[in-house]
Amino acid sequence: MESLKIALLQHNPKVADVKHNLDKLESMIRKESKKGFDLFVAPELALVGYSPRDLLSQPSLIQAEQDALDSIRRLSEELSVGILLGHTEKREGAGKPLFNSCTLFEKGYALGRIRKRRIPHYDIFMEERFFESARDLPQEPLSFRGFKLGLFICEDGWWEVKKYGKNDLAYPHWTDEIDAQLAKSDVLINISASPYNFSKYERRKEIFSKHALKHSTPLLFSTCVGAQDEILFDGPSFAMNTQGVLEFESKSFEEDVLRVEVSKNKKIRSIDQLPIPLHEDPWDTFHQVLVLGIRDFVRKNSFKKIVLGLSGGIDSALVAYLAKEALGAENVLGVSLPTKFNSAETRSDARKLAENLGIEFREIPIGDLVSSAEKIMNVTPSGLVYENLQSRSRGLLLMTLSAQENRLLLTTGNKSELAMGYSTLYGDMCGALAPIGDLYKTDVFGMCHWIQSHLGSPFPESILTRPPSAELAPDQKDEDSLPEYAILDVILEDIIENQSLNKQALTSFANDVSKLSFDDIVKRLHSMEFKRYQAPPILKVHPRSFGYGWQMPLVKGFNP
Amino acid sequence: MESLKIALLQHNPKVADVKHNLDKLESMIRKESKKGFDLFVAPELALVGYSPRDLLSQPSLIQAEQDALDSIRRLSEELSVGILLGHTEKREGAGKPLFNSCTLFEKGYALGRIRKRRIPHYDIFMEERFFESARDLPQEPLSFRGFKLGLFICEDGWWEVKKYGKNDLAYPHWTDEIDAQLAKSDVLINISASPYNFSKYERRKEIFSKHALKHSTPLLFSTCVGAQDEILFDGPSFAMNTQGVLEFESKSFEEDVLRVEVSKNKKIRSIDQLPIPLHEDPWDTFHQVLVLGIRDFVRKNSFKKIVLGLSGGIDSALVAYLAKEALGAENVLGVSLPTKFNSAETRSDARKLAENLGIEFREIPIGDLVSSAEKIMNVTPSGLVYENLQSRSRGLLLMTLSAQENRLLLTTGNKSELAMGYSTLYGDMCGALAPIGDLYKTDVFGMCHWIQSHLGSPFPESILTRPPSAELAPDQKDEDSLPEYAILDVILEDIIENQSLNKQALTSFANDVSKLSFDDIVKRLHSMEFKRYQAPPILKVHPRSFGYGWQMPLVKGFNP
């Protein structure tokens, strides 16, 4: 053959729901097969989803996947097409029980298989709990209809030495072995389950561009899309030419098929005549991936409706906006739960916001509940105990409402608050999901201003300009007890994302302008671990988020 | 020399508190050095504690440990002794940033070093995030004063093939390499941080007995003691003869020094003339390790006092008893928080229990708070919403009390409840620690009956005999909505600890006697993940506990 028509299937799997995932892939393949494709490519672990985590220890899941693979095999025969997809593979003997593999089916046969070498176990990844590295296995390109396919799985394409705590991916001889295989290929195909972070789109292009360029061979990148717990798969799948230049890509944030024709002389073209993609606005991506995260979390958990507390502040305003985008205004309920400390202005802003968004709004004053607890426990009506009591009264009422109306409760805390423990456990931390729990406060400002200027000014202007306040005491401001967020966030980001790489410079910075020193911030961050241990799942958007990728001890004597 | 006098230092480190741990070891060594010891042995990662988890990415921690190692080196010179201890070791190049190492110091020099090959990353372990395996490094016994020391670190002594999901420890050529080293030695020394589970004492003896016997060489096992988050290090350190017979051991559950003399002809003797240990009563160990876990969690977090809700039921009775043992009766406050559903009998039992234990007792009726919330939210006064409201009202009041009096709140839920979600998030699940969260209900019964008959009958008899009830509705019994615990726990244990190995037999068992089928129980277990995600840390006593070792997805479509 002079060319191969290839369809990359960017599906949105549900973890451990093999039947659902198989049905989805089958129907995509059946629909597309009428268009004369030679080869269908589905992402890493396409049938079990990424990642079943410890469910990989369940023999029934592995068996269901085996059966589904057999359906795929028969489908390749029925439709006379090639189908290539990622799956687990049982193995015997010393070592871990599974490989992370990729098999090519055609005419009812498994034509060939490659296995993942680099098994990630940093950040959110824990593949080493189950997957053995294929480090000692020689791997060759697979032959398919006269083409040599150079296959590699996700992490095997990420070759550079990574930074402290993550440079486990850099066995140079593995890179040589992978290169030896890719060098013999007519087209490179990487199947992935590639999670989002703020700069990941650019990083993926940069990394995979190097592979294409090094081998002067076109490259296809196939990934899944959708959210799984805290992990967001943004897509897109894409195609690069022999120069490593991005030629075209699928849609992001939704299921899509990327249709490609690759010729013997290593040219690629888009069957749909897709244009060369423009560099996207990162704020646009950033807000869309959160919308996807909320939608998938709520719907994959079989809920339709959500509720959240609306304080009149910027955090809950952002979550309300994103939830409306994700689920439709009719499925979002915002509740204001005022005390005497909530100003007329914030109460009115909460109501105006709900009107602007077209979401349902209720006001439930909490004074009576707080008074009742105050009397029972003889609480002094000021100070931290009293502040937490207000927050917990709100949590209790919102959880009651959540159960009464079968609405998932979203929590509205941000990363700066979670880092500093500026939040109440079992109070404002109540909720099934923390959609902006990985956004620093300055990210929240930035995203809201971007939304305000690009997406029809949904926010009452005063929400964007008022100094942040928890309104749990008279005239309280966040910056009474925390450094200004513009300062705090620079320091937090260095501590959390950069292992305090810029500590020296930021220490003098903090000395000059911050009410807490660099080391004080480190100490407070770590002393608040007990709150984060019981926090809801957080949608991950930064290289290092609280949650699966932040495994810190609770009991410790760490002194920076 | 004809013999070596060796002291095994079983210390209780605080994670990431290098100064504290160094001071402790130094003072133990200085005190013992007057007795003419040749060699001091401290456990795995003795200076940073086990385990700093992601704090291992902090350069300041690794630097502090380096400085502490230098103090140890100088101490070996000052006292003219050998000191052998576990520590992290920075490494360069491809791969992970650290080795898990063990160095022998003498006369101000590092005489030699061995490194861990088997890096565990199953269950609660996540060493692969930071530690590179020393798989490619030849290792020889270290020579010390005419003796050859066969050193190996923790997991390198656990050679058998493990079950599904855990058989990563079984690289046979590693076993050969370790054996080659051990075969040349005059004494075998394994340094560990070996966590407790119910059968671990016997397993350790069995495993290490094989090493001693295989090489006809005495074996010393050195471990730390104490609790770190959910992980309990019970000890003891011990010595085995060339037949693999346990000769003597240190105390369990507390710091101790095991003093041993090893002669050139491979005889060992206890310098303190310790007797051959008797087989311990496993219930005794079981309850003592929980006492240790509570004490260390509370004290290492710099608290002195705790509070817990006393329902008059068996779970809170057990936690109260354990807390009293751990912290002293004067530091324990039990609070009864009755509603109209709480019987006179349970209320009186709660009070009697407190009297028996000598702990402080208060009664705080919650009716007014529940009514207040009931009115605000128009809650129907029966059904799940109303039940959760009662539980959350208790949580709110206990958290308020906790903050008012600087007492850590202990939660009293057991493993059967956590498995089935028979608990209220932000209600009875509130707390800093779940001391019996890894005890099945039948474990709770067993332990209470053992305590009752062995430790002075602290429990009012009716607490032990009354059918379990949450008392959130009239005449409610747990077994209205759950299978009998005696049945449920057998099934849960198979699902959680055995990967449903006995599914077939237990399916017919459940069909005969249980109100929920085996698969229904699996489904309910997995559907309740969202509660466990936000649960407090749980003291681990079984091979598989909820917490660090239970990494399950939240969003999933798993169907057994």
Side-chain angles (χ1 to χ4, degrees):
Chain A
M1 292 178 78
E2 281 310 293
S3 73
L4 277 187
K5 285 186 173 173
I6 305 176
L8 306 184
L9 308 173
Q10 181 173 288
H11 77 323
N12 184 343
K14 185 167 181 182
V15 158
D17 195 343
V18 174
K19 185 178 179 318
H20 170 89
N21 301 333
L22 174 65
D23 289 351
K24 175 71 64 68
L25 288 173
E26 274 213 26
S27 81
M28 287 172 107
I29 292 170
R30 283 189 187 281
K31 186 171 162 211
E32 297 291 325
S33 71
K34 294 162 195 155
K35 301 176 191 158
F37 282 101
D38 300 291
L39 179 63
F40 293 92
V41 178
E44 184 180 13
L45 298 183
L47 292 165
V48 294
Y50 199 97
S51 164
R53 303 170 68 85
D54 279 3
L55 285 177
L56 288 171
S57 71
Q58 295 293 317
S60 66
L61 177 64
I62 304 300
Q63 187 54 52
E65 191 195 25
Q66 278 301 310
D67 297 344
L69 279 174
D70 205 51
S71 299
I72 292 285
R73 182 188 62 72
R74 291 196 305 270
L75 189 67
S76 76
E77 182 171 25
E78 179 194 333
L79 303 177
S80 291
V81 294
I83 305 174
L84 186 159
L85 82 172
H87 58 87
T88 76
E89 180 189 353
K90 271 203 273 193
R91 57 184 296 284
E92 298 298 325
K96 281 156 266 182
L98 301 170
F99 283 125
N100 184 333
S101 297
C102 169
T103 298
L104 172 62
F105 295 99
E106 195 197 11
K107 298 183 181 160
Y109 294 95
L111 286 192
R113 176 171 294 164
I114 63 112
R115 299 176 178 116
K116 192 171 180 176
R117 284 174 184 78
R118 291 177 176 141
I119 305 300
H121 51 266
Y122 57 85
D123 191 31
I124 55 166
F125 299 106
M126 38 178 63
E127 290 190 28
E128 297 242 353
R129 279 171 88 84
F130 293 98
F131 291 110
E132 184 66 30
S133 164
R135 61 167 71 84
D136 303 323
L137 301 174
Q139 307 205 338
E140 288 295 317
L142 302 188
S143 292
F144 177 73
R145 301 191 178 175
F147 279 72
K148 294 210 175 295
L149 312 181
L151 297 177
F152 52 145
I153 301 175
C154 201
E155 202 77 19
D156 279 343
W158 293 78
W159 61 18
E160 88 282 34
V161 175
K162 299 231 174 164
K163 56 188 170 170
Y164 200 84
K166 301 189 185 175
N167 59 346
D168 46 326
L169 312 170
Y171 294 97
H173 64 286
W174 293 2
T175 301
D176 293 345
E177 286 167 25
I178 292 167
D179 271 345
Q181 174 207 350
L182 300 185
K184 301 174 202 159
S185 306
D186 299 312
V187 57
L188 312 180
I189 303 178
N190 182 283
I191 66 163
S192 284
S194 183
Y196 172 84
N197 70 46
F198 197 77
S199 57
K200 197 69 167 288
Y201 177 80
E202 293 301 323
R203 289 286 289 131
R204 279 188 210 115
K205 281 200 299 190
E206 186 192 329
I207 290 285
F208 286 97
S209 171
K210 286 184 191 166
H211 291 290
L213 193 59
K214 185 167 189 179
H215 302 293
S216 297
T217 303
L219 179 141
L220 306 179
F221 178 81
S222 162
T223 183
C224 61
V225 73
Q228 172 59 36
D229 297 354
E230 60 180 50
I231 307 175
L232 306 172
F233 299 100
D234 53 326
S237 302
F238 58 76
M240 284 175 166
N241 65 22
T242 54
Q243 305 300 305
V245 175
L246 181 63
E247 287 272 354
F248 43 93
E249 65 185 26
S250 71
K251 291 177 193 156
S252 294
F253 318 116
E254 59 185 286
E255 294 194 323
D256 195 18
V257 177
L258 190 67
R259 304 173 187 86
V260 185
E261 185 164 9
V262 182
S263 63
K264 244 326 191 333
N265 61 2
K266 296 195 173 180
K267 298 275 181 235
I268 52 168
R269 70 174 191 90
S270 162
I271 293 176
D272 299 311
Q273 302 188 305
L274 295 172
I276 293 173
L278 294 173
H279 182 75
E280 297 176 48
D281 183 335
W283 283 111
D284 188 24
T285 319
F286 197 178
H287 105 278
Q288 286 203 59
V289 84
L290 292 174
V291 169
L292 172 67
I294 295 170
R295 183 189 298 130
D296 271 11
F297 190 89
V298 173
R299 296 217 182 134
K300 287 182 178 178
N301 275 314
S302 304
F303 279 79
K304 220 181 133 187
K305 291 165 179 281
I306 64 99
V307 58
L308 80 168
L310 285 190
S311 67
I314 195 167
D315 297 313
S316 57
L318 177 57
V319 176
Y321 177 84
L322 296 169
K324 183 210 74 164
E325 292 290 296
L327 306 166
E330 68 281 13
N331 293 317
V332 178
L333 166 61
V335 183
S336 163
L337 300 119
T339 64
K340 59 191 170 193
F341 302 125
N342 295 85
S343 67
E345 198 197 354
T346 53
R347 289 172 65 168
S348 136
D349 276 354
R351 183 180 297 275
K352 268 191 241 160
L353 172 75
E355 279 167 19
N356 290 4
L357 299 179
I359 63 172
E360 195 183 339
F361 178 78
R362 288 181 219 163
E363 191 168 80
I364 304 178
I366 65 168
D368 289 353
L369 188 65
V370 173
S371 296
S372 173
E374 197 183 327
K375 261 175 233 138
I376 294 171
M377 300 305 295
N378 199 18
V379 177
T380 314
S382 69
L384 216 52
V385 174
Y386 188 61
E387 295 183 20
N388 283 330
L389 176 55
Q390 296 167 62
S391 184
R392 290 204 178 101
S393 297
R394 292 194 176 108
L396 184 151
L397 296 174
L398 286 170
M399 286 303 292
T400 301
L401 199 159
S402 159
Q404 286 174 316
E405 305 188 4
N406 205 30
R407 293 173 180 272
L408 273 189
L409 174 60
L410 300 186
T411 179
T412 61
N414 62 57
K415 190 173 193 171
S416 309
E417 285 174 6
L418 281 168
M420 302 305 282
Y422 197 73
S423 57
T424 302
L425 191 57
Y426 320 132
D428 54 308
M429 289 178 71
C430 286
L433 181 70
I436 61 166
D438 199 30
L439 272 62
Y440 294 101
K441 187 78 175 190
T442 41
D443 294 331
V444 173
F445 290 135
M447 187 176 291
C448 283
H449 280 96
W450 182 86
I451 290 171
Q452 190 75 340
S453 57
H454 289 75
L455 301 172
S457 302
F459 304 116
E461 203 58 31
S462 47
I463 287 184
L464 303 184
T465 53
R466 189 182 312 111
S469 165
E471 293 197 314
L472 296 168
D475 297 322
Q476 190 180 36
K477 301 278 171 293
D478 290 12
E479 290 168 8
D480 299 342
S481 32
L482 296 176
E484 281 175 56
Y485 285 113
I487 295 164
L488 176 65
D489 286 354
V490 172
I491 297 172
L492 281 177
E493 192 165 347
D494 187 57
I495 297 168
I496 298 169
E497 324 275 338
N498 293 329
Q499 313 294 346
S500 305
L501 203 64
N502 305 306
K503 176 174 174 163
Q504 208 175 352
L506 289 173
T507 297
S508 20
F509 172 68
N511 283 346
D512 288 346
V513 298
S514 163
K515 71 176 60 166
L516 290 177
S517 74
F518 190 93
D519 282 354
D520 286 343
I521 293 172
V522 174
K523 278 184 210 162
R524 178 144 168 196
L525 167 74
H526 286 292
S527 74
M528 292 296 155
E529 204 54 49
F530 72 99
K531 294 191 184 181
R532 291 187 294 267
Y533 188 96
Q534 297 188 46
I538 292 164
L539 297 182
K540 176 181 168 65
V541 294
H542 277 285
R544 197 171 192 205
S545 55
F546 300 127
Y548 293 151
W550 179 263
Q551 296 287 343
M552 288 292 174
L554 284 166
V555 173
K556 60 191 171 295
F558 181 58
N559 190 339
Chain B
M1 291 177 79
E2 280 311 293
S3 73
L4 276 188
K5 286 189 173 169
I6 304 176
L8 306 185
L9 309 172
Q10 181 173 290
H11 76 324
N12 184 342
K14 185 167 182 183
V15 157
D17 195 342
V18 174
K19 185 177 180 316
H20 170 89
N21 302 333
L22 174 65
D23 288 351
K24 174 72 63 72
L25 289 173
E26 274 212 26
S27 79
M28 287 171 107
I29 292 170
R30 283 189 188 280
K31 186 171 160 210
E32 297 291 326
S33 68
K34 294 163 196 152
K35 303 174 191 157
F37 282 101
D38 300 291
L39 178 63
F40 293 92
V41 178
E44 184 180 14
L45 298 184
L47 293 165
V48 295
Y50 198 95
S51 162
R53 303 171 69 82
D54 280 3
L55 284 178
L56 288 171
S57 70
Q58 295 294 317
S60 65
L61 176 63
I62 304 301
Q63 186 56 51
E65 192 195 22
Q66 276 302 310
D67 297 343
L69 279 173
D70 205 51
S71 298
I72 293 286
R73 182 187 62 72
R74 289 195 306 267
L75 188 66
S76 76
E77 184 171 22
E78 179 193 331
L79 304 176
S80 292
V81 294
I83 306 174
L84 186 160
L85 82 172
H87 58 87
T88 77
E89 181 189 352
K90 271 202 273 193
R91 57 183 296 284
E92 298 299 324
K96 280 157 267 183
L98 301 169
F99 283 125
N100 184 334
S101 298
C102 169
T103 298
L104 172 62
F105 295 96
E106 195 196 11
K107 297 184 183 161
Y109 294 95
L111 285 193
R113 176 171 295 166
I114 62 112
R115 299 176 178 118
K116 193 171 181 177
R117 286 173 183 77
R118 292 177 175 141
I119 305 298
H121 51 265
Y122 57 84
D123 190 33
I124 56 165
F125 299 106
M126 39 179 61
E127 289 189 28
E128 296 243 352
R129 280 172 86 84
F130 292 98
F131 291 110
E132 184 67 28
S133 165
R135 62 169 69 85
D136 303 323
L137 301 175
Q139 307 205 339
E140 289 294 318
L142 302 189
S143 293
F144 177 73
R145 301 189 178 178
F147 279 72
K148 292 208 176 294
L149 312 180
L151 297 178
F152 52 146
I153 301 175
C154 201
E155 202 77 20
D156 279 343
W158 293 78
W159 61 19
E160 90 281 34
V161 174
K162 299 233 174 161
K163 57 187 170 174
Y164 200 85
K166 301 187 186 178
N167 61 345
D168 44 327
L169 312 171
Y171 295 95
H173 63 284
W174 293 2
T175 300
D176 294 345
E177 286 168 23
I178 293 168
D179 271 346
Q181 175 207 349
L182 301 185
K184 301 175 202 160
S185 305
D186 300 310
V187 56
L188 313 180
I189 303 177
N190 182 284
I191 64 164
S192 284
S194 183
Y196 172 84
N197 71 44
F198 198 77
S199 57
K200 197 68 168 289
Y201 178 80
E202 292 302 323
R203 291 285 290 129
R204 277 187 213 118
K205 279 201 299 190
E206 184 191 331
I207 289 285
F208 285 96
S209 172
K210 287 183 190 164
H211 291 289
L213 194 58
K214 185 168 190 180
H215 301 293
S216 297
T217 303
L219 180 140
L220 305 179
F221 177 81
S222 161
T223 182
C224 61
V225 73
Q228 174 58 35
D229 297 356
E230 59 179 51
I231 307 173
L232 305 174
F233 299 98
D234 53 327
S237 303
F238 58 76
M240 284 174 165
N241 66 22
T242 55
Q243 306 299 306
V245 175
L246 182 62
E247 289 270 355
F248 44 92
E249 63 186 28
S250 71
K251 291 178 193 156
S252 294
F253 319 117
E254 59 186 283
E255 295 195 322
D256 195 18
V257 177
L258 190 67
R259 301 173 189 86
V260 185
E261 185 164 9
V262 183
S263 63
K264 246 317 175 4
N265 60 3
K266 296 193 174 182
K267 298 273 181 236
I268 52 168
R269 69 172 194 91
S270 162
I271 292 175
D272 299 312
Q273 302 186 306
L274 294 172
I276 292 175
L278 294 175
H279 181 75
E280 296 177 47
D281 184 334
W283 282 112
D284 188 26
T285 318
F286 198 177
H287 104 276
Q288 285 204 60
V289 82
L290 292 174
V291 169
L292 172 66
I294 294 170
R295 184 188 297 130
D296 271 13
F297 191 89
V298 173
R299 296 215 182 137
K300 286 182 178 178
N301 275 311
S302 304
F303 279 80
K304 217 180 137 188
K305 292 166 179 279
I306 65 98
V307 58
L308 81 168
L310 285 190
S311 67
I314 195 167
D315 296 314
S316 56
L318 177 57
V319 176
Y321 176 83
L322 297 169
K324 182 210 75 163
E325 292 291 295
L327 306 167
E330 68 281 12
N331 293 315
V332 178
L333 166 61
V335 183
S336 164
L337 300 118
T339 66
K340 58 193 170 193
F341 302 124
N342 294 86
S343 68
E345 198 197 354
T346 53
R347 288 172 67 169
S348 132
D349 276 354
R351 185 181 297 274
K352 267 191 245 160
L353 172 73
E355 280 166 19
N356 291 3
L357 299 180
I359 63 173
E360 194 182 341
F361 179 77
R362 289 181 218 162
E363 190 166 80
I364 305 178
I366 66 168
D368 288 353
L369 188 65
V370 174
S371 297
S372 172
E374 197 183 329
K375 262 176 231 139
I376 293 171
M377 300 304 295
N378 200 17
V379 177
T380 314
S382 69
L384 215 53
V385 173
Y386 188 61
E387 294 182 20
N388 283 330
L389 177 55
Q390 295 167 62
S391 184
R392 291 206 178 100
S393 297
R394 292 193 177 109
L396 184 149
L397 295 175
L398 286 171
M399 286 303 292
T400 301
L401 199 159
S402 158
Q404 284 174 317
E405 304 189 3
N406 205 29
R407 292 173 181 273
L408 272 189
L409 174 60
L410 300 186
T411 178
T412 62
N414 61 59
K415 191 173 192 172
S416 309
E417 286 174 5
L418 281 168
M420 302 305 280
Y422 196 73
S423 56
T424 301
L425 191 55
Y426 320 133
D428 55 307
M429 290 177 72
C430 285
L433 181 70
I436 62 166
D438 199 31
L439 270 63
Y440 295 99
K441 187 78 176 191
T442 40
D443 294 331
V444 173
F445 291 135
M447 188 176 290
C448 283
H449 280 96
W450 182 86
I451 289 170
Q452 189 76 341
S453 57
H454 289 74
L455 300 172
S457 302
F459 304 115
E461 203 58 31
S462 48
I463 287 184
L464 303 184
T465 53
R466 189 183 312 112
S469 164
E471 292 197 315
L472 297 168
D475 296 322
Q476 190 181 36
K477 300 277 172 295
D478 289 12
E479 289 168 10
D480 300 340
S481 33
L482 295 176
E484 281 175 56
Y485 285 113
I487 295 164
L488 177 65
D489 286 353
V490 172
I491 298 174
L492 281 177
E493 191 165 348
D494 188 55
I495 297 168
I496 297 170
E497 324 274 339
N498 292 329
Q499 314 294 345
S500 304
L501 203 65
N502 305 307
K503 176 173 174 163
Q504 211 175 348
L506 289 174
T507 296
S508 23
F509 171 67
N511 284 346
D512 290 345
V513 298
S514 165
K515 70 176 59 165
L516 290 177
S517 74
F518 190 92
D519 282 355
D520 285 344
I521 293 173
V522 175
K523 278 184 208 161
R524 177 144 171 196
L525 168 73
H526 285 293
S527 74
M528 292 296 158
E529 203 54 48
F530 72 99
K531 293 191 185 181
R532 292 187 293 267
Y533 188 96
Q534 297 188 44
I538 292 165
L539 297 182
K540 177 181 169 64
V541 294
H542 278 285
R544 197 170 192 206
S545 55
F546 300 127
Y548 293 152
W550 179 263
Q551 296 287 342
M552 289 293 175
L554 285 166
V555 173
K556 61 192 169 294
F558 180 58
N559 191 339

